[in-house]
Amino acid sequence: MPVKPDRAMILAAGLGLRMRPITDTIPKPLVSVAGKPLLDHVLDRLAEAGVAEAVVNVHYLPDQIIDHVAGRKQPRVVISDERDAVLGTGGAVVKALPLLGSAPFYHLNADTMWIDGAQSNLARLAATFDPERMDILLLMAATANSIGYTGSGDYAMAPDGTLRKRKELEVVPFVYAGVAIMSPQLFADAPRGEFPLTKIFDRASEEGRLFGLRLDGVWMHVGTPDAIQTAERAYLASSVA
């Protein structure tokens, strides 16, 4: 049976080093693209998908993010405060688990940005996620038509959606778009403290329970100040198309 997550976690604690000097004074999730902070682009997508509550973790310049989301109603925002510890992308989820409940939840990077195709990609993820077969379903962008991405990709994807991690020196056609659905049970025996989320991805892959769904639309990699203008042009062009 497909799922319909009503909770989400947004990773917003990073230092945003590659976005300097902009992030010398504001956290990367509050960097504006096309007239709206990156974090609001993500929260608005979640609201459209019917998500009631979003857990947002904070570490770098946390008060700015806390103040920014204080009045948010759709979705409601709950803060997972990490200002006293660096937990990494994996440790952040472990800390937030009591706030996320026992059902599969959306997981997003605060700086991810995409243009939907004919359907909402969050809705497509929910319709595709099968907890009987999957522990994680990643939204995968084709490197060939992603905006601002110049890397070698993250995964190869089989016709049934199973993912295989890129080997060293290999080039693969898909990059993780920073959007996923995850089962909280994945983290039951996860370590405490700092660790990367890729550890969890790798374990799910070894067990044959890591899957991908190709993004319908265009993904924008907004990693540096130079990438902002390119993303804005694509986003604004799509809004008038």
Side-chain angles (χ1 to χ4, degrees), residues 4 16-17 25 44 65 105 113 140 145 155 168 171 177 194 203 211:
K4 186 171 173 53
L17 298 178
T25 54
D44 288 349
I65 294 176
F105 58 90
M113 197 170 171
M140 306 302 299
N145 64 353
Y155 292 95
E168 189 176 1
V171 175
E194 182 180 6
R203 189 179 70 186
F211 285 76

Short mmCIF file of all heavy atoms in Angstrom, two decimals, residues 4 16-17 25 44 65 105 113 140 145 155 168 171 177 194 203 211:
data_model
loop_
_atom_site.label_atom_id
_atom_site.label_comp_id
_atom_site.label_asym_id
_atom_site.label_seq_id
_atom_site.Cartn_x
_atom_site.Cartn_y
_atom_site.Cartn_z
N LYS A 4 1.19 8.09 2.73
CA LYS A 4 0.97 9.53 2.58
C LYS A 4 1.57 10.22 3.81
O LYS A 4 0.87 10.43 4.81
CB LYS A 4 -0.51 9.86 2.44
CG LYS A 4 -0.77 11.34 2.13
CD LYS A 4 -2.21 11.59 1.79
CE LYS A 4 -2.51 13.08 1.65
NZ LYS A 4 -1.61 13.77 0.72
N GLY A 16 27.11 25.89 5.15
CA GLY A 16 27.00 26.60 3.87
C GLY A 16 28.32 27.18 3.40
O GLY A 16 28.36 28.28 2.84
N LEU A 17 29.40 26.43 3.57
CA LEU A 17 30.74 26.97 3.29
C LEU A 17 30.90 27.37 1.83
O LEU A 17 31.53 28.39 1.53
CB LEU A 17 31.81 25.94 3.67
CG LEU A 17 31.86 25.56 5.15
CD1 LEU A 17 32.94 24.50 5.38
CD2 LEU A 17 32.12 26.79 6.02
N THR A 25 26.88 35.81 6.96
CA THR A 25 25.95 36.53 7.84
C THR A 25 24.56 35.91 7.91
O THR A 25 23.78 36.25 8.80
CB THR A 25 25.80 37.98 7.37
OG1 THR A 25 25.42 38.00 5.98
CG2 THR A 25 27.11 38.75 7.54
N ASP A 44 7.00 25.23 1.28
CA ASP A 44 5.81 25.40 0.42
C ASP A 44 5.49 24.11 -0.33
O ASP A 44 4.31 23.75 -0.49
CB ASP A 44 6.03 26.55 -0.56
CG ASP A 44 5.99 27.92 0.10
OD1 ASP A 44 5.60 28.00 1.28
OD2 ASP A 44 6.37 28.91 -0.55
N ILE A 65 16.99 31.18 11.69
CA ILE A 65 16.03 30.20 11.15
C ILE A 65 14.83 30.06 12.08
O ILE A 65 13.67 30.03 11.63
CB ILE A 65 16.72 28.85 10.93
CG1 ILE A 65 17.79 28.97 9.84
CG2 ILE A 65 15.70 27.77 10.56
CD1 ILE A 65 18.59 27.71 9.60
N PHE A 105 8.40 9.09 6.68
CA PHE A 105 8.37 10.54 6.63
C PHE A 105 9.18 11.04 5.44
O PHE A 105 10.08 10.36 4.95
CB PHE A 105 8.92 11.15 7.93
CG PHE A 105 10.34 10.72 8.26
CD1 PHE A 105 11.44 11.44 7.81
CD2 PHE A 105 10.57 9.59 9.04
CE1 PHE A 105 12.74 11.05 8.10
CE2 PHE A 105 11.87 9.18 9.35
CZ PHE A 105 12.95 9.91 8.87
N MET A 113 16.11 22.32 -4.60
CA MET A 113 15.14 23.11 -5.37
C MET A 113 14.88 22.40 -6.69
O MET A 113 15.82 21.95 -7.36
CB MET A 113 15.72 24.50 -5.61
CG MET A 113 14.70 25.54 -6.02
SD MET A 113 15.43 27.19 -6.00
CE MET A 113 14.10 28.09 -6.77
N MET A 140 15.63 10.86 -7.60
CA MET A 140 16.87 10.88 -8.36
C MET A 140 16.72 11.77 -9.58
O MET A 140 15.77 11.65 -10.35
CB MET A 140 17.23 9.46 -8.82
CG MET A 140 17.31 8.43 -7.71
SD MET A 140 18.50 8.86 -6.43
CE MET A 140 20.01 8.92 -7.37
N ASN A 145 20.24 16.60 -17.45
CA ASN A 145 19.43 17.82 -17.58
C ASN A 145 19.24 18.56 -16.26
O ASN A 145 18.32 19.36 -16.11
CB ASN A 145 18.06 17.50 -18.21
CG ASN A 145 17.22 16.58 -17.35
OD1 ASN A 145 17.69 16.07 -16.34
ND2 ASN A 145 15.98 16.37 -17.75
N TYR A 155 24.32 7.44 -8.19
CA TYR A 155 23.83 6.08 -8.29
C TYR A 155 23.49 5.70 -9.73
O TYR A 155 23.08 6.56 -10.53
CB TYR A 155 22.55 5.89 -7.46
CG TYR A 155 22.75 5.98 -5.97
CD1 TYR A 155 22.54 7.18 -5.29
CD2 TYR A 155 23.12 4.86 -5.23
CE1 TYR A 155 22.71 7.27 -3.92
CE2 TYR A 155 23.29 4.94 -3.85
CZ TYR A 155 23.09 6.14 -3.20
OH TYR A 155 23.26 6.22 -1.84
N GLU A 168 34.32 4.26 -7.52
CA GLU A 168 35.36 5.25 -7.73
C GLU A 168 35.72 5.33 -9.22
O GLU A 168 35.86 4.31 -9.89
CB GLU A 168 36.60 4.89 -6.91
CG GLU A 168 37.65 5.99 -6.89
CD GLU A 168 38.83 5.65 -5.99
OE1 GLU A 168 38.85 4.55 -5.40
OE2 GLU A 168 39.73 6.49 -5.90
N VAL A 171 31.26 7.03 -13.81
CA VAL A 171 30.26 8.07 -14.05
C VAL A 171 28.90 7.38 -14.16
O VAL A 171 28.75 6.42 -14.93
CB VAL A 171 30.56 8.86 -15.34
CG1 VAL A 171 29.44 9.86 -15.63
CG2 VAL A 171 31.89 9.59 -15.22
N ALA A 177 18.64 13.98 -5.43
CA ALA A 177 18.09 15.34 -5.50
C ALA A 177 17.80 15.95 -4.13
O ALA A 177 17.27 17.06 -4.05
CB ALA A 177 16.82 15.34 -6.35
N GLU A 194 27.65 12.03 15.88
CA GLU A 194 27.82 12.46 14.50
C GLU A 194 28.09 11.29 13.57
O GLU A 194 28.97 10.47 13.81
CB GLU A 194 28.97 13.46 14.39
CG GLU A 194 29.18 13.99 12.97
CD GLU A 194 30.34 14.97 12.88
OE1 GLU A 194 31.04 15.16 13.89
OE2 GLU A 194 30.53 15.53 11.79
N ARG A 203 23.64 0.77 4.02
CA ARG A 203 23.09 -0.43 4.66
C ARG A 203 21.79 -0.87 3.99
O ARG A 203 21.57 -2.06 3.73
CB ARG A 203 22.85 -0.19 6.15
CG ARG A 203 22.49 -1.47 6.90
CD ARG A 203 22.29 -1.22 8.37
NE ARG A 203 21.08 -0.47 8.62
CZ ARG A 203 20.72 0.00 9.81
NH1 ARG A 203 21.51 -0.18 10.85
NH2 ARG A 203 19.59 0.66 9.97
N PHE A 211 15.79 2.28 -2.89
CA PHE A 211 15.20 2.46 -4.21
C PHE A 211 15.25 3.93 -4.62
O PHE A 211 15.39 4.82 -3.77
CB PHE A 211 13.74 1.98 -4.21
CG PHE A 211 13.59 0.48 -4.21
CD1 PHE A 211 13.79 -0.25 -3.05
CD2 PHE A 211 13.25 -0.21 -5.37
CE1 PHE A 211 13.66 -1.64 -3.03
CE2 PHE A 211 13.11 -1.58 -5.37
CZ PHE A 211 13.31 -2.30 -4.20
#
